[in-house]
Structure formats: structure tokens, C-alpha cells
Amino acid sequence: LKGIQRFLKPFVSKTGDYKMSEQQNFETGELIEKPSHLERTSHIERQKSKVPAEIISIISQTPTIKSFLFRPPPSYIPEFSFLPGQWLDVFIPNVPIAGGFSLTSTPHQYTLTNTFELSIKYSTNPPAKWFHENAKIGDSVEVRVGGDFVWDDRKEQEDETECVLFIAGGVGINPLISMFTSILEAKNNTNVNNMMKKVGVKKIRLLYSARSFSELLFYNRIEELRKEWPHILECKYFLTGENAPPSQSPSTNNEAEFYYGQRISQKILGDIIMKERENLEKLKCFICGPPIMRNDFICWLKSAGLIDKRILLEKW
């Protein structure tokens, strides 16, 4: 067994085809207990208070992912606030451990409607399992905001960020859609003066990888934004488990770029960096996806000339 593992280990990063459970020790093959969300994120700051929130809508987004819309009670609405990209500690009655889920809505949406959204993929993890098998409209949970993988308008203005590259693998799209939707919402905000609009983000590129078209979470939402902002938002979709356009995919839409049976490659990243070669100090990259994918992209981006502080990733 160890010999087989040593043979397969070099190929994990290159192809991503070989997968071993995160709960299995690679060297011994022994099963180990996976740390809980609170344990994995214990070093990250979060808000002190918990806020109750009621489920007011449940929508099936893909065969394995549901979106849940929440609203806090009126008296708690002023206490709840977040930045794009942050996650929630979620405390569910009679569930022994807390869940950790990224917000997929924006602060602007919360300001307008007093609602926020979580999109949760099914798993045997007790919180995710509860949401898929037991949660219903009218149920309440407690939430607490945390996370430092964020889009902060003020910081990005200080950093003079003009071009942004978002890289998502699977449900790694969750914090990223909150980020780039917030960027585009700000451009529509009549309260933002013209000078702020001119010095803001000029180009957003999204590289989004999923196994199949049916697993492209928020595809319609993303495409609506791309069509509204065609000169700013550029999207490339990578369907790693499909070698040809499936019948349900928009294969006739020449504006949406699809790559079938392939992953996001070093060459594709290199081509993007080359386009911004003269402007790298104003480019920033946000990555959220499986650990192997993240590690490859960091190496490729650094080798292409992007410095550490302009590469941000969600590690948990």
C-alpha cells in the first residue's frame, strides 16, 4: 500500500484524478478524525455575538447544492454585517457541531432586503446534512460572521487594484460570487462619486472549474452579470468531466467560453498574466478551491511574476 501511495503521490498535483479522503493518513492509511470548522478556523477573528436568523426560502441550485435565504429578527438586523467573501459559523439546534458556510449574497443585498444567503453542498457532515435533510422554511439557527478572505473596497483602493482574477473550483465559487457581484454593484451605486468609479476595478476575470455543467453553481446569475458588464466581466468555464458539450449546456453561446475535459492550466493563467504584464502591481488574484488546485495556481502565478501579497486564498 505504501508503495502504491508513493507511486501515485507525484501525480496528484498534476492531474487531480487521484483522490484520497482528507480523513485518511496518506502514509499509514489509517482513518483520522477531520477537525471541525471551529477547530480549523480557531485562529481567525470573528464577531463576538451570535445572531438568530430564520430560513425564509430554500432553492435547489444543482443536484447537490441548495441555497437558503435567511432573515434576522428586526431587533437584530443592525447587529449583523459582513464583507464580501466572509463566512458564517452556523449553530443549529440539536446538532452537536457548528457549520461553516460562505455567504453567497452581498452586503448591498442585505442593506436592501435584510436577507442573506448561504449555498450549501450536501455532505455527511452534520450541519450540511441537516440543511439538506431536515431544514424547512420557518426554522431558525444562530450565525456569527468570520473570515479574513474578503473584498474590502477601501483596501483595494489603497492598493490601487484595477484588475482582478477570480479562480474557483466547485463550491469555491461561493465567496467569490459575493466579491465580484459587490464590485459590480458598486459601479451602479449612485452614492459613489464619479472619481471613485473611475479609479476602481476596470477588469474582472473569472476562471470557474466544475465537473459538469449541472454542477456550475450560479451559472445563470454569473451570465446575467457578464451580459450586463461585457467590457468588465470575462468568464471561462472548465468542465473537467465532460469531453463534449452536453445537451443542456449553452454550446451555441459564443460569448461564454467553455473548455471541455480539461482543467485550468498554467498556460491559461500565463496568458492572462501576459495581458497584464505592464500592470502587475494593479492585479490581484483570489483563489478558492481544493487544496491541490490552490497550491498549483500559487506556484504558477508566482512564476509568472505575481508577488505574494497580490495572491489571496481561502485556506479552510
Side-chain angles (χ1 to χ4, degrees):
L1 178 61
K2 288 185 178 180
I4 293 172
Q5 290 171 348
R6 282 195 295 271
F7 171 77
L8 289 171
K9 209 169 184 178
F11 294 92
V12 173
S13 170
K14 294 180 181 178
T15 69
D17 292 332
Y18 174 69
K19 296 179 181 178
M20 177 171 283
S21 168
E22 291 181 358
Q23 292 183 324
Q24 191 169 21
N25 184 299
F26 209 177
E27 295 298 329
T28 67
E30 295 175 349
L31 291 177
I32 57 175
E33 185 176 354
K34 186 177 179 180
S36 70
H37 159 70
L38 292 182
E39 290 170 333
R40 294 195 305 275
T41 63
S42 60
H43 62 290
I44 299 176
E45 288 189 10
R46 59 250 288 157
Q47 293 178 354
K48 293 181 180 179
S49 61
K50 299 176 186 177
V51 172
E54 178 185 349
I55 300 173
I56 63 171
S57 173
I58 303 174
I59 298 174
S60 292
Q61 298 282 6
T62 77
T64 59
I65 300 171
K66 291 181 180 181
S67 289
F68 298 83
L69 196 65
F70 298 83
R71 179 179 287 131
S75 60
Y76 284 88
I77 285 172
E79 293 185 31
F80 186 81
S81 64
F82 63 96
L83 288 173
Q86 287 192 294
W87 37 255
L88 298 180
D89 297 330
V90 180
F91 302 88
I92 304 165
N94 301 317
V95 174
I97 62 174
F101 306 106
S102 294
L103 285 144
T104 51
S105 54
T106 67
H108 181 63
Q109 176 184 327
Y110 184 69
T111 300
L112 293 177
T113 67
N114 297 326
T115 64
F116 60 88
E117 180 189 69
L118 298 176
S119 297
I120 300 171
K121 185 171 184 176
Y122 177 83
S123 78
T124 56
N125 180 264
K129 186 178 174 71
W130 179 86
F131 273 109
H132 276 262
E133 296 184 358
N134 302 106
K136 60 186 183 298
I137 292 173
D139 287 344
S140 291
V141 299
E142 287 187 314
V143 298
R144 182 173 61 194
V145 177
D148 51 15
F149 178 72
V150 300
W151 177 267
D152 185 335
D153 279 327
R154 292 186 179 182
K155 183 179 189 310
E156 299 309 329
Q157 289 164 14
E158 292 173 359
D159 289 350
E160 299 183 329
T161 301
E162 293 184 358
C163 302
V164 191
L165 174 59
F166 292 106
I167 303 176
V171 289
I173 191 66
N174 282 359
L176 303 186
I177 194 167
S178 178
M179 291 183 185
F180 64 76
T181 302
S182 291
I183 296 171
L184 296 174
E185 284 176 343
K187 292 185 175 295
N188 276 332
N189 188 348
T190 56
N191 293 325
V192 179
N193 63 48
N194 290 331
M195 180 57 66
M196 293 286 279
K197 292 181 181 180
K198 289 180 181 178
V199 301
V201 173
K202 298 177 180 178
K203 189 71 176 181
I204 301 170
R205 293 183 176 89
L206 171 66
L207 306 182
Y208 183 7
S209 174
R211 185 160 185 79
S212 65
F213 179 76
S214 66
E215 295 178 13
L216 278 178
L217 180 59
F218 303 127
Y219 173 76
N220 290 332
R221 191 186 298 185
I222 295 168
E223 283 299 293
E224 287 176 6
L225 289 170
R226 185 182 63 79
K227 290 171 183 176
E228 183 179 357
W229 300 95
H231 302 298
I232 295 178
L233 180 59
E234 175 185 300
C235 304
K236 300 180 189 290
Y237 303 98
F238 299 79
L239 305 183
T240 61
E242 295 179 350
N243 293 320
S247 58
Q248 74 271 30
S249 76
S251 56
T252 58
N253 183 353
N254 293 326
E255 295 178 351
E257 292 189 56
F258 280 82
Y259 297 79
Y260 297 97
Q262 59 179 295
R263 301 174 186 279
I264 303 168
S265 68
Q266 185 174 8
K267 181 182 183 306
I268 288 170
L269 284 179
D271 290 344
I272 291 173
I273 298 299
M274 282 301 297
K275 289 179 182 179
E276 304 296 337
R277 175 58 60 188
E278 305 302 320
N279 210 27
L280 284 187
E281 72 280 1
K282 295 185 178 182
L283 170 66
K284 191 164 284 189
C285 179
F286 293 80
I287 306 171
C288 189
I292 291 171
M293 184 190 87
R294 296 196 311 255
N295 295 338
D296 280 345
F297 292 158
I298 291 169
C299 291
W300 295 345
L301 290 167
K302 287 183 180 180
S303 66
L306 208 59
I307 61 175
D308 284 346
K309 71 177 184 179
R310 303 203 75 85
I311 305 172
L312 293 91
L313 64 153
E314 181 59 281
K315 297 180 181 178
W316 65 278

